[in-house]
Amino acid sequence: LFRSFVDAHIHLVQIGFRELTLDLTGTGSVRSLVERVAREIETLPPGQVLYGRGWIETGWPEGRMPTAEDLDVVSPENAVILERADGHAVVANSAALLAAGISGETPDPAGGAIERDVTGAPTGLLIDTAANAVMALVAAPSEEDLIAAYVIGAEEYVSRGWTGAYNVSVEPDHAPLLKRLDLEGRMPLRLANAFEATGFDLAARRDFETPTITNRAVKLYMDGALGSRGALLMAPYSDRPDMTGLSLMAPEALSQVMREADQAGVQLAIHAIGDLANRYVIDAFEAGQHSADLRWRIEHTQILNPEDIQRLADLGLIASMQPSHAIGDLKFAPDRLGLQRLRGAYAWQSLIDAGALVVGGSDAPVEVGSPLIEFYAAVARKDLEGDDGDGWHPEEALTREQALALFTSAAAYASFQEEDLGTLEVGKLADITGFDRDLMTVPEADILEARAVLTVVNGEVVN
């Protein structure tokens, strides 16, 4: 038995929709992706949009991302919109581009990029805000769809041994629905919600809370993702010298939101992956003289200039990190960053040594969302086959005690719940995770073979 395992960064409704829509997780090549689309198109009426998510080109034999040209062969009429696993890039076919009004004359939007060929024509790959136009073609989910997605996602999560989650990027109008599901006994997972920026007032008022749902945080975005080259870097990408990433929020705007959040008592969860994006957050926090008591979080804290590690710790910012990102991203991160910049990437141990609080999550559905994979990644810093490579910096791996804290005591503190959760002791709430073996003593590789056998939330057995 363990103190409750909490995933400190998920997108719960998307976890559910992963089970309800075209799931491209594990697709092994451009060819396989196209074949999957061809099978799906056979079942669709003309004109219906095909949406899917979960592809990632790491390890594909073609050595590239898919394009509209690939998809047009099997879907010349139906719009096809396929989201990359990280949620920061989309590939769309020509029918989707046409329906969305995207052409060679369309300028890049603020915070986005339309990938183009040598003639200036769009290739079909749309980064961050550039995807908004095609995503508008995807039908909005009905309330029944949302209920199904939330219930399926929560049930899947407690079956894996998670007792709770920090649920980010929540649409504000989902708050009453989540409360209703909880009161009806259909939300077994404890949730700390971080709303989209439009939910700032809701977070300030703490509306729609229950004994197992809190609503005090807002999620902001400074940049995109490393894989799609949207992470904002101080120097150009090593494999694309013409690119430094995308700025999704100006530092001045961040400073203003920080002032408002400080006054309103709203917790901020700020997405920052690139070293420049992280520096902007650190600089703004320091310049505003904000208190560590606010427990503001940098979500991902993925690539830091080594000079900023101690600064982050001294300021009291929380580093919300996902161990599985390291063992996945380090397949391509050396190409994106070069080996030198990896000294400050996925730097869990360096941050802890500097005195920072590091909290662990998965970013599911970007990753699988398994507590066993996350725990293994934190202590092994190797891929699931036990391999590592140049630039993986094994010295950044954690001890098992440190890794356990990422998902238990640190997760509780990072969501203002340390008085009730995070440790097994008399007087605290009974959130408990049980596995069929002791993760603290079994051989490293056996961690991945473990199985969740008991999940208790608020004293109730939910798995």
Side-chain angles (χ1 to χ4, degrees), residues 13 15 65 103 149 157 171 220 283 326 344 390:
V13 73
I15 293 170
M65 295 184 183
S103 68
Y157 247 54
E171 294 290 341
L220 306 176
D283 286 349
D390 290 341

Side-chain angles (χ1 to χ4, degrees), residues 257-288:
V257 175
M258 282 184 168
R259 288 191 291 272
E260 294 171 0
D262 197 332
Q263 295 169 2
V266 170
Q267 186 186 33
L268 295 181
I270 308 167
H271 169 115
I273 289 183
D275 53 7
L276 183 54
N278 276 282
R279 178 162 289 181
Y280 282 158
V281 177
I282 294 167
D283 286 349
F285 189 89
E286 183 177 54

Side-chain angles (χ1 to χ4, degrees), residues 136-391:
L137 303 175
V138 180
S142 66
E143 182 175 282
E144 290 74 19
D145 294 333
L146 290 172
I147 290 172
Y150 273 120
V151 170
I152 288 171
E155 290 176 346
E156 177 182 329
Y157 247 54
V158 296
S159 75
R160 292 179 175 173
W162 298 111
T163 66
Y166 195 85
N167 182 30
V168 303
S169 305
V170 180
E171 294 290 341
D173 58 2
H174 293 187
L177 177 62
L178 286 168
K179 179 178 181 178
R180 191 176 100 206
L181 290 175
D182 191 30
L183 296 179
E184 292 174 352
R186 302 167 71 188
M187 181 49 60
L189 190 69
R190 188 184 297 276
L191 296 176
N193 290 317
F195 297 108
E196 293 281 11
T198 52
F200 188 95
D201 290 343
L202 179 58
R205 295 193 307 264
R206 307 286 300 277
D207 286 347
F208 303 108
E209 295 192 329
T210 75
T212 55
I213 296 178
T214 61
N215 298 321
R216 67 184 306 154
V218 165
K219 173 82 178 294
L220 306 176
Y221 290 86
M222 294 303 296
D223 65 348
L226 182 67
S228 50
R229 299 186 186 87
L232 188 62
L233 303 179
M234 295 179 182
Y237 279 82
S238 295
D239 57 356
R240 282 289 298 272
D242 60 319
M243 299 180 70
T244 56
L246 297 170
S247 175
L248 302 188
M249 189 175 198
E252 298 78 14
L254 174 63
S255 296
Q256 177 61 31
V257 175
M258 282 184 168
R259 288 191 291 272
E260 294 171 0
D262 197 332
Q263 295 169 2
V266 170
Q267 186 186 33
L268 295 181
I270 308 167
H271 169 115
I273 289 183
D275 53 7
L276 183 54
N278 276 282
R279 178 162 289 181
Y280 282 158
V281 177
I282 294 167
D283 286 349
F285 189 89
E286 183 177 54
Q289 298 182 323
H290 300 291
S291 169
D293 294 338
L294 296 165
R295 304 189 195 184
W296 289 351
R297 306 155 49 117
I298 302 182
E299 302 299 324
H300 307 304
T301 333
Q302 204 161 301
I303 305 152
L304 290 168
N305 185 298
E307 297 176 2
D308 289 331
I309 291 175
Q310 191 63 57
R311 292 181 66 210
L312 183 153
D314 291 344
L315 290 169
L317 284 160
I318 295 172
S320 172
M321 307 178 77
Q322 299 74 48
S324 59
H325 280 353
I327 65 172
D329 289 9
L330 282 167
K331 304 282 187 178
F332 61 78
D335 291 335
R336 297 285 189 274
L337 300 172
L339 294 179
Q340 181 66 22
R341 276 186 286 191
L342 291 178
R343 288 193 303 110
Y346 319 93
W348 317 316
Q349 189 63 255
S350 292
L351 282 161
I352 290 175
D353 288 346
L357 182 77
V358 177
V359 60
S362 73
D363 202 10
V366 175
E367 304 286 355
V368 173
S370 161
L372 300 167
I373 290 176
E374 297 303 329
F375 188 85
Y376 166 84
V379 302
R381 205 172 171 92
K382 299 173 184 174
D383 67 18
L384 300 184
E385 288 71 47
D387 299 324
D388 55 14
D390 290 341

